[in-house]
Amino acid sequence: MSFTVVKAQPGGELPGGEALTWSDGGLGRREFLRRACIIAAGVVGLPSSAAAKMYEETVVKGKKPSVIWLHFQECTGCTESLLRAEHPPLDDLLLDLISLDYHETLLAAAGKQAEAARTQAMRANAGKYILVVEGAIPMKDNGIYCKVGGKTAVEILNECAAQAGAIIAIGSCASWGGIPSSDPNPTGAVGVTGALKGKTVVTIPGCPANPYNFLGTALQFATFGTLPALDSKGRPKFAYGRTIHEDCPRRPHFDAGRFALKYGDQGHRDGWCLYQLGCKGPVTHANCSLQPFGEVPGAWPIGIGHPCFGCTEQFVGFSIAQSTTVPIENPTPSTTFAAVNSGGGKMGVAAVGVGGAILGAVVSAGYKFSTTLDAEKPSADEEA
Amino acid sequence: MSHATAPVGGRILTKPMLVLLGLFGLAAALLLWRFIQGLGAVTAMSDRYPWGLWIAYDVVTGTALACGGYALAILIYILNKGRFHPLIRSAILTSALGYTLGGFSVIVDLGRFWNVWKVPTLFWKWNFSSILLEVALCIMAYMFVLWIELAPAFLEGAKAAGNPKLRRLAETTLGPLEKAMPFIVALGLLLPTMHQSSLGSLMMLAGQKVHPLWQTPLLPLLFLISCICMGYGVVVLESALSSTYFGLPRETPLLRRLGRVVAPLLGLYLVLRLGDLAIHGKLGLIFTSGFFSVLFLAEMALFVTPIVMFYTEAKPKLGQLFRGAMMIVLAGALYRFSTFLVAFRPSKGWVYFPSVGETLITVGLIAGEIAAYIFVVKKFPILQSRPQRATVRRLGADVIDRLPIPSTAPASGD
Amino acid sequence: MSLSRRSLLKGLATAGAGIAGLPAAGQAKELKRRPDDAVGLLYDATKCIGCKACMTACREANGLTAAERDGKWYDPQSLSGNAKNVISFYRGPKGEESFMKMQCMHCVDPACVSVCMLGALKKGDKGIVTYDADACVGCRYCQVACPFNVPAFEWGKATPKIVKCELCRDRLAQGKIPACAEVCPRHAVIFGSYTELLEEAHRRLATEPKRYVPKVYGEKDGGGTQVLYLTAAGIPFEKLGLPALGEKSVPSLPETIQHTIYKGFLAPVVLYGALGAVIFRNRRKSAAGGEEGDA
């Protein structure tokens, strides 16, 4: 597979050189989309034969799945993240691969018309549409802290989820509550699984979520009607099965015990491990080091020299202070070795002191006692 | 001689008693910690030193110290030296308490103690190759035997006490108990022979991990002989201490005779020990083993000196007997500590010394044992009664010695 | 002498008679044989690169979790309640270097099995030495007896167990091989039937004699083990922590002595009878008046 390197569109140029962009100028729409499907399939871990099927179903046969995208307590960062994806770019995604029937940010319509579009699409695609949720759902006081079109978030969610074919929670807020849920959580914000019981929800945590994790999942469902293997929190294992620590490019520094101890010190400048600065990589499940977010590899926290924040993990991101170090979830040996016989055991100074003193006391007491016996005058009957 | 023994009487909660109980209470608190947090939290034991103070002292040395009853029983019931009989009851009490302490310490030391009931009951799982199994079963049985041997004392005490129900119990059980005593005493001679020697055999399995000056196939025999010596030693110590602290008549002539019994046994131990080293060509090691040479020579000195004392002195005084007995006890203890701990070096660079917690628990348990001893002798007829002193003076020691040998249990009724 | 010769001899003779009534003493303990389907490992120290993938794989396969050093790394310094397999490093005085893999040796006649009271440790299928916590009282005699210091104890737990390699027998039951052998990138440790492994070890010694110390450790050592070792020429096995044990297994002598003395429990019963007889006789004598005194 080769990419055509073309000059970036105006405004899309990166400092320092050519940008690698997809442009329909070089390849032709269909070929381009075919390649987009291959990449999307690769992201999810499906073979290239799956990509062919994806292409056929969506582009050739035009069977684009309906997508209803809800926004609740969110910053729209996940949508923005998706917008910056280039393969496939969002316009191609929207026009050729899926049918985005409701999206508050991107929809041209507004107000009652928008709501009508939603309910119509839901009716027409009942049981088949993909429901994507972005943002947390407030539960306190019957959920009045987020209302769209006069309905509370939790009402809308339940209404839309009833007939959904698949439910995807994109971003940490929708996955487990995210920023809105951090202490003291005044609105009672929860993720989709907290507001919706008894349904399979794919969660794609991250702040923002990696758009390719979402794209791979959505396209798999769109093509095959199946969801990728999920872990106990509903996260696709292909993306969230391992911790950042396990795939970190700075791991050799960790294993050798080379740590940056202060921002800007020599170790930091040399790119050493950021664990001592509070990197949450060891407890954070995500694939940020393997799958770049935007089109700039290395544009992620550790890549730019900042310790991981743990944004995908509930109780880590927005919960534990950045500078606090965390235990290692899956410890493996370091680069140092034990000696064949490394010694061990305890011989405490106090212990020796106490033991010796007691023994000494007993023996000397016994000896002293025997001298008092010596001093005694034996009675007649003892002389037998 | 039931009428020759009597409760010492007197207040139970004296100052020394309170000190002892205080130490025991400290041990109990530490034990709670041990059971909640695990052995590693309280002891200094490690994977290379899995047996520490509690095994080396509480179980191995402690039970050897508790062999006074066994050693005396050999003299009295096998060699028919009835004159030693006045010593037997307190020796059996010391033995019973010592073995109970040892048994309790085993439970404390076991990592999975809740499974210990399986050892005597799940007989189909018994591994007959395991020497430790034999030790465990023997000790369990022997503990039982010791308390039964002591039962007449408790029953007599109950009889003398006010309670009519207890008196009736005593009256009905004392007779049959007396009849059964020979079988029980024979058991009380067989079982320690088996397990005290096996305690030595335990360390044979450690092979090269025990220093060659201590590792030998003769371990069972050496442990048996030294345990009998320690038993006599303890009898002397205990007699001297009790007669002092409870104001009872001295038993020095008997103790002298014990000294003369023990001396050849100590000699036998030394002959076997050194002879074994000679046969296996290990004599050279005695002087070329650095720290272990010192340890070995200290052990030899402690075994030899009492022999010299008891042979050079025609009539050793009580103080000398006491010092000799102390040395015998220390000799046997040193031998056991060496075999199990000090001369046990499984890997270079690993060390062990009992932690403060371990030591305090052992000290507290011993304090509890002593407190129990004091309580029992004050309440029950274990030690010689005071009037005995007058009787002896009146009748003369010779006459007393020629009185009929009492049956192995006191005659029922007075 | 205070004891009359007569009384002493009499007393000892009666006891001795009991023991003398033993059947013909000590047939030596039958030498234990390797089971025909014995499996094991062959570790070739010259191939090991110290990557410790086997340690990680063992840790995962056995559900051992805690980090060992500063809470960050899984760095057990020796076998422990948290480590059934440890890679260590040896550097000699002339700069010679070798890695060493340590885990249970699965001896043919294991000392730990011999001493275990209720058989919690026993030689199971295919000769693997297995552990059953239900029969274990935590006496730790196995730790005292093992010449390789393998069994580890969970000192930090209120409900501790003995922990040691069991050749991944759960994985074997599923048709897989031990995790360490599966993951080793250089095949420094391999798994197979004992006979195949021994053949392979000798083949290597024959093909490259200058590379190795000319001996397969475990073939006869300590009565034989099912885990075999090859070491680089110039690095003796003792330096890697494998003691010089001779060809007899650790339990062979003590078991012979124990079985001889207690065969069929005859000796204790006879001794008991003898003791009882002496006691009764002495009682009768003393009832008739007069004791055996000293002169």
Side-chain angles (χ1 to χ4, degrees):
Chain A
M1 171 167 79
S2 64
F3 301 147
T4 305
V5 177
V6 295
K7 267 193 79 97
Q9 305 282 4
E13 202 160 5
L14 292 168
E18 294 168 10
L20 175 65
T21 59
W22 289 95
S23 156
D24 62 359
L27 287 166
R29 174 159 244 73
R30 291 229 162 166
E31 176 56 22
F32 159 77
L33 285 171
R34 198 183 65 80
R35 293 187 184 191
C37 288
I38 291 172
I39 292 182
V43 166
V44 197
L46 289 171
S48 49
S49 55
K53 185 124 196 298
M54 258 186 212
Y55 174 69
E56 205 185 285
E57 292 292 309
T58 55
V59 181
V60 174
K61 291 192 187 159
K63 291 198 303 192
K64 298 184 291 190
S66 169
V67 175
I68 310 285
W69 189 299
L70 302 177
H71 291 71
F72 296 133
Q73 287 174 311
E74 41 77 37
C75 67
T76 317
C78 295
T79 295
E80 292 291 335
S81 171
L82 195 56
L83 284 173
R84 275 140 190 78
E86 292 282 336
H87 38 276
L90 203 60
D91 47 350
D92 294 308
L93 177 69
L94 294 181
L95 298 175
D96 292 298
L97 295 174
I98 61 170
S99 175
L100 188 61
D101 292 327
Y102 182 82
H103 190 297
E104 287 162 21
T105 317
L106 300 175
L107 222 49
K112 292 208 170 69
Q113 280 174 308
E115 293 307 302
R118 175 170 67 77
T119 44
Q120 195 179 38
M122 280 165 57
R123 252 198 318 267
N125 298 283
K128 290 189 292 201
Y129 62 84
I130 304 174
L131 176 66
V132 183
V133 183
E134 184 179 352
I137 298 105
M139 301 295 278
K140 197 150 169 247
D141 299 332
N142 288 313
I144 57 172
Y145 298 106
C146 177
K147 281 171 126 173
V148 179
K151 290 194 184 156
T152 63
V154 62
E155 278 171 344
I156 300 173
L157 177 64
N158 277 288
E159 187 191 316
C160 296
Q163 292 284 353
I167 307 172
I168 302 179
I170 185 170
S172 291
C173 296
S175 299
W176 46 266
I179 296 183
S181 72
S182 50
D183 217 30
N185 198 353
T187 62
V190 296
V192 172
T193 43
L196 201 59
K197 299 296 176 196
K199 290 219 181 253
T200 305
V201 178
V202 179
T203 58
I204 314 271
C207 189
N210 188 318
Y212 296 103
N213 294 346
F214 168 77
L215 283 170
T217 307
L219 287 172
Q220 176 175 341
F221 181 78
T223 315
F224 298 99
T226 58
L227 293 171
L230 304 176
D231 69 7
S232 60
K233 296 190 172 137
R235 303 177 298 198
K237 283 185 183 169
F238 73 81
Y240 299 93
R242 293 163 66 83
T243 57
I244 296 287
H245 186 63
E246 291 179 80
D247 292 310
C248 184
R250 299 197 180 196
R251 184 59 186 276
H253 292 297
F254 174 89
D255 284 343
R258 294 188 285 261
F259 299 106
L261 296 172
K262 276 166 69 158
Y263 292 102
D265 71 5
Q266 191 55 41
H268 195 217
R269 288 169 192 279
D270 287 341
W272 287 2
C273 173
L274 302 166
Y275 176 78
Q276 302 281 28
L277 292 174
C279 179
K280 303 297 179 291
V283 294
T284 303
H285 294 84
N287 58 346
C288 313
S289 67
L290 302 172
Q291 179 61 49
F293 273 64
E295 300 318 303
V296 183
W300 65 298
I302 292 174
I304 61 155
H306 189 279
C308 167
F309 184 67
C311 69
T312 61
E313 289 291 337
Q314 190 175 18
F315 308 122
V316 178
F318 314 114
S319 193
I320 305 179
Q322 177 66 76
S323 56
T324 304
T325 55
V326 289
I328 313 292
E329 188 176 286
N330 201 23
T332 50
S334 71
T335 54
T336 60
F337 288 92
V340 168
N341 180 21
S342 45
K346 292 188 238 176
M347 190 183 263
V349 171
V352 176
V354 167
I358 291 177
L359 183 63
V362 169
V363 172
S364 57
Y367 184 77
K368 236 171 116 216
F369 178 75
S370 74
T371 56
T372 64
L373 292 176
D374 285 333
E376 258 178 33
K377 200 165 148 346
S379 59
D381 38 89
E382 282 185 66
E383 288 308 304
Chain B
M1 310 176 124
S2 61
H3 47 273
T5 58
V8 170
R11 224 170 44 145
I12 297 290
L13 288 178
T14 58
K15 254 219 294 255
M17 238 340 213
L18 289 173
V19 170
L20 290 170
L21 290 174
L23 285 170
F24 181 72
L26 177 61
L30 286 167
L31 279 174
L32 195 61
W33 191 242
R34 169 260 176 275
F35 282 110
I36 294 175
Q37 289 281 330
L39 285 164
V42 173
T43 73
M45 291 189 280
S46 61
D47 281 335
R48 295 294 185 275
Y49 282 97
W51 283 354
L53 177 68
W54 292 344
I55 297 293
Y57 178 78
D58 295 38
V59 180
V60 176
T61 305
T63 56
L65 292 175
C67 271
Y70 169 57
L72 275 182
I74 297 177
L75 267 185
I76 299 171
Y77 300 114
I78 299 298
L79 300 179
N80 216 11
K81 304 261 139 242
R83 67 178 65 246
F84 292 107
H85 196 268
L87 300 169
I88 191 75
R89 244 191 203 176
S90 60
I92 297 283
L93 175 63
T94 311
S95 295
L97 289 172
Y99 269 85
T100 305
L101 175 77
F104 182 69
S105 297
V106 167
I107 307 283
V108 166
D109 183 80
L110 284 179
R112 300 177 63 81
F113 52 90
W114 57 89
N115 275 343
V116 76
W117 65 271
K118 296 183 183 177
V119 174
T121 54
L122 301 193
F123 56 88
W124 57 93
K125 278 183 169 298
W126 284 348
N127 171 15
F128 289 104
S129 297
S130 171
I131 301 178
L132 188 60
L133 176 68
E134 187 243 305
V135 169
L137 294 174
C138 255
I139 288 186
M140 287 180 194
Y142 188 53
M143 228 189 303
F144 196 54
V145 165
L146 282 167
W147 287 105
I148 291 186
E149 284 187 357
L150 209 47
F154 292 119
L155 292 170
E156 280 168 33
K159 223 160 63 141
N163 191 324
K165 261 226 260 270
L166 284 174
R167 213 174 328 169
R168 242 200 320 274
L169 172 74
E171 273 156 21
T172 44
T173 48
L174 271 173
L177 202 54
E178 186 215 326
K179 292 223 173 60
M181 264 306 162
F183 298 100
I184 295 172
V185 169
L187 212 50
L189 285 162
L190 173 73
L191 293 172
T193 307
M194 288 170 67
H195 70 251
Q196 284 295 335
S197 56
S198 293
L199 278 171
S201 306
L202 286 178
M203 289 315 272
M204 275 205 283
L205 264 298
Q208 296 173 348
K209 298 205 267 188
V210 176
H211 190 281
L213 278 175
W214 281 266
Q215 181 61 270
T216 162
L218 271 187
L219 274 171
L221 191 54
L222 292 171
F223 264 67
L224 184 61
I225 296 174
S226 54
C227 127
I228 296 174
C229 298
M230 286 165 83
Y232 293 133
V234 166
V235 168
V236 170
L237 297 177
E238 187 265 313
S239 164
L241 286 164
S242 301
S243 48
T244 305
Y245 287 108
F246 300 123
L248 299 173
R250 296 286 187 208
E251 299 165 305
T252 315
L254 284 178
L255 301 181
R256 275 199 201 105
R257 289 196 171 96
L258 269 186
R260 292 198 278 267
V261 168
V262 131
L265 277 178
L266 292 168
L268 178 62
Y269 171 88
L270 285 168
V271 164
L272 288 171
R273 188 98 163 79
L274 292 166
D276 172 64
L277 289 175
I279 290 176
H280 289 103
K282 293 188 202 169
L283 278 177
L285 290 172
I286 296 180
F287 296 102
T288 56
S289 303
F291 166 76
F292 295 109
S293 292
V294 175
L295 189 66
F296 183 84
L297 291 170
E299 182 191 315
M300 290 297 109
L302 284 170
F303 272 100
V304 165
T305 314
I307 304 178
V308 171
M309 277 174 74
F310 293 147
Y311 271 118
T312 55
E313 197 57 61
K315 276 198 179 182
K317 304 242 279 283
L318 189 56
Q320 286 164 302
L321 288 171
F322 192 87
R323 282 190 289 276
M326 268 181 65
M327 271 187 269
I328 294 173
V329 162
L330 284 172
L334 183 62
Y335 178 55
R336 281 156 174 74
F337 268 76
S338 300
T339 308
F340 275 79
L341 271 188
V342 189
F344 179 71
R345 63 255 190 289
S347 280
K348 262 218 300 247
W350 283 77
V351 296
Y352 167 79
F353 194 91
S355 68
V356 175
E358 253 172 304
T359 309
L360 289 177
I361 287 177
T362 295
V363 165
L365 289 178
I366 296 173
E369 181 195 353
I370 298 174
Y373 178 88
I374 294 174
F375 174 79
V376 171
V377 300
K378 282 189 174 171
K379 283 265 185 236
F380 295 96
I382 304 280
L383 298 177
Q384 290 195 64
S385 51
R386 278 191 193 81
Q388 177 70 346
R389 198 199 320 243
T391 316
V392 170
R393 244 184 267 123
R394 208 176 52 234
L395 297 178
D398 284 351
V399 178
I400 296 295
D401 280 349
R402 294 218 186 323
L403 283 174
I405 303 301
S407 58
T408 53
S412 48
D414 260 316
Chain C
M1 286 282 274
S2 59
L3 273 179
S4 84
R5 254 206 315 267
R6 252 182 79 213
S7 61
L8 174 63
L9 285 175
K10 243 199 209 159
L12 288 177
T14 31
I19 304 179
L22 270 179
Q27 320 148 347
K29 197 172 82 88
E30 268 172 51
L31 280 174
K32 293 239 168 77
R33 281 180 55 243
R34 237 169 238 109
D36 291 327
D37 59 348
V39 293
L41 298 171
L42 170 62
Y43 175 72
D44 187 333
T46 67
K47 294 190 174 209
C48 178
I49 56 172
C51 73
K52 302 194 204 171
C54 57
M55 281 176 65
T56 306
C58 172
R59 193 184 75 81
E60 281 168 10
N62 285 282
L64 304 166
T65 47
E68 290 262 332
R69 183 151 73 89
D70 304 334
K72 295 201 267 290
W73 294 279
Y74 181 63
D75 250 350
Q77 298 294 294
S78 63
L79 294 174
S80 72
N82 197 37
K84 298 186 179 186
N85 169 35
V86 174
I87 296 289
S88 57
F89 176 66
Y90 166 75
R91 181 180 282 133
K94 295 188 226 120
E96 66 274 23
E97 294 175 344
S98 174
F99 294 103
M100 170 62 184
K101 180 180 192 294
M102 196 60 210
Q103 74 297 298
C104 178
M105 302 291 280
H106 297 284
C107 304
V108 171
D109 185 10
C112 63
V113 170
S114 169
V115 302
C116 185
M117 292 197 284
L118 295 177
L121 283 164
K122 68 173 202 284
K123 200 127 169 88
D125 281 345
K126 303 199 169 82
I128 298 175
V129 179
T130 60
Y131 172 69
D132 172 16
D134 284 334
C136 174
V137 293
C139 72
R140 312 185 296 283
Y141 195 10
C142 52
Q143 296 191 293
V144 173
C146 176
F148 304 102
N149 298 310
V150 161
F153 189 70
E154 295 179 313
W155 296 102
K157 289 212 181 143
T159 54
K161 293 196 176 112
I162 286 286
V163 173
K164 71 167 196 73
C165 159
E166 292 180 57
L167 274 186
C168 282
R169 56 192 173 110
D170 295 333
R171 288 172 56 99
L172 292 181
Q174 293 167 8
K176 303 191 217 166
I177 66 171
C180 57
E182 187 182 70
V183 85
C184 180
R186 303 288 300 129
H187 300 298
V189 61
I190 55 177
F191 170 82
S193 81
Y194 172 82
T195 25
E196 285 171 1
L197 292 175
L198 186 64
E199 251 179 62
E200 171 62 19
H202 280 295
R203 193 193 60 79
R204 293 185 196 184
L205 289 183
T207 337
E208 290 179 276
K210 291 218 184 74
R211 182 183 172 125
Y212 299 102
V213 165
K215 172 182 146 120
V216 180
Y217 188 95
E219 186 173 1
K220 301 217 177 89
D221 305 77
T225 65
Q226 284 173 220
V227 176
L228 302 168
Y229 283 80
L230 292 171
T231 178
I235 301 185
F237 287 105
E238 289 82 58
K239 298 291 186 201
L240 297 182
L242 293 169
L245 285 179
E247 291 191 12
K248 282 253 198 79
S249 70
V250 166
S252 51
L253 179 60
E255 272 192 24
T256 305
I257 294 178
Q258 184 81 348
H259 287 168
T260 306
I261 298 176
Y262 288 98
K263 201 160 173 66
F265 214 60
L266 199 57
V269 169
V270 170
L271 183 58
Y272 180 67
L275 290 167
V278 170
I279 293 173
F280 266 114
R281 189 197 64 126
N282 287 338
R283 254 174 85 158
R284 252 182 302 134
K285 235 210 261 165
S286 69
E291 59 168 286
E292 267 209 11
D294 37 15

